Amino acid sequence: MRLLGLDKDCFASWRARLPEGSTMVVQPKIEGFAIGLRYKYGQLVDAYSRKGSEIIENIRTIKAIPLNIDDSLKVEVELEGILYSPSSNSKFLQAQLLSSATTENASNTPLSFLAFQIFRSNSDELSDLTQLQNWGFEIPITLRTDDPSQVERWHSQWIKKELFSNFPTNGIVAKCNASSTKSRLGFSKFSPNWALALTR
């Protein structure tokens, strides 16, 4: 389970690698902690930070993260999401989320968790998001389009604080939807080639 970052390449260059007419999804790029979760037979058994630290005991205290997703699952499931505080976009507060007692912040505000990726899935992006919802996770607001210029318009709206303004964000994320394209593009050492961060 590798928790990778996101490339910040030119959008036009990234889009040129996708097949013509590809469906793209756009989500808020939340300021917080990337968390990897492992479920075995539907039960939460491991949790990791991007640095590889095992944080399962802290994660068990967070109400937004299900301890059980599906008792009928016969396979191990690994997924990734972002842990954040909805009450503030302070970078200092974000840095304290996992160091404070029982992962509650200084204001005792419950933490939120958005799940956005199922590792080793053969399904497309939108189907995976539906599956995550069925397992009881909250997922990011997700927009979809086949028009590259629409992604650029959404990016402009985000810069003007007209989009995703109710989240602590530092950009938007564009992803290709098709599993076949994701498989073809693969990963670099640091990021998935099928996703891109658009920041200021």
Side-chain angles (χ1 to χ4, degrees):
M1 184 161 45
R2 296 172 59 207
L3 306 184
L4 301 176
L6 288 167
D7 196 357
K8 298 178 182 178
D9 193 8
C10 167
F11 174 71
S13 298
W14 176 81
R15 171 63 186 87
R17 298 197 293 268
L18 305 184
E20 190 67 27
S22 291
T23 297
M24 293 164 286
V25 298
V26 169
Q27 298 168 333
K29 186 175 181 295
I30 305 289
E31 284 191 282
F33 281 90
I35 302 294
L37 303 174
R38 178 178 292 118
Y39 290 83
K40 192 170 184 178
Y41 300 111
Q43 303 290 326
L44 179 64
V45 294
D46 285 310
Y48 297 92
S49 68
R50 180 164 287 159
K51 294 182 179 180
S53 303
E54 188 167 342
I55 51 174
I56 183 63
E57 295 308 317
N58 275 7
I59 292 302
R60 289 186 190 280
T61 69
I62 299 173
K63 295 178 181 179
I65 297 179
L67 300 179
N68 181 301
I69 56 174
D70 186 347
D71 289 330
S72 66
L73 277 175
K74 304 301 181 185
V75 296
E76 189 173 89
V77 172
E78 293 179 338
L79 58 93
E80 181 179 3
I82 192 82
L83 180 68
Y84 71 101
S85 171
S87 64
S88 174
N89 61 4
S90 164
K91 290 184 178 180
F92 175 78
L93 177 59
Q94 301 298 339
Q96 300 302 311
L97 292 183
L98 290 180
S99 62
S100 58
T102 65
T103 64
E104 294 288 335
N105 67 38
S107 301
N108 293 318
T109 302
L111 302 179
S112 293
F113 182 79
L114 297 177
F116 56 77
Q117 180 179 190
I118 302 174
F119 289 100
R120 295 181 297 279
S121 171
N122 294 319
S123 298
D124 63 35
E125 186 74 14
L126 292 170
S127 295
D128 277 351
L129 291 170
T130 298
Q131 180 63 76
L132 288 167
Q133 281 186 308
N134 291 340
W135 283 337
F137 291 98
E138 185 178 355
I139 63 170
I141 293 175
T142 301
L143 310 175
R144 61 177 293 177
T145 183
D146 301 336
D147 180 5
S149 62
Q150 180 61 66
V151 176
E152 295 174 323
R153 285 193 290 270
W154 283 331
H155 182 222
S156 178
Q157 289 176 346
W158 173 79
I159 290 174
K160 297 174 183 176
K161 299 184 178 181
E162 297 172 354
L163 184 67
F164 304 142
S165 59
N166 54 330
F167 293 96
T169 61
N170 54 15
I172 66 172
V173 181
K175 304 176 183 177
C176 67
N177 180 59
S179 60
S180 58
T181 303
K182 291 167 69 173
S183 178
R184 178 176 62 82
L185 294 176
F187 299 82
S188 72
K189 184 178 180 180
F190 303 105
S191 60
N193 295 326
W194 41 265
L196 184 74
L198 286 76
T199 57
R200 292 188 184 275

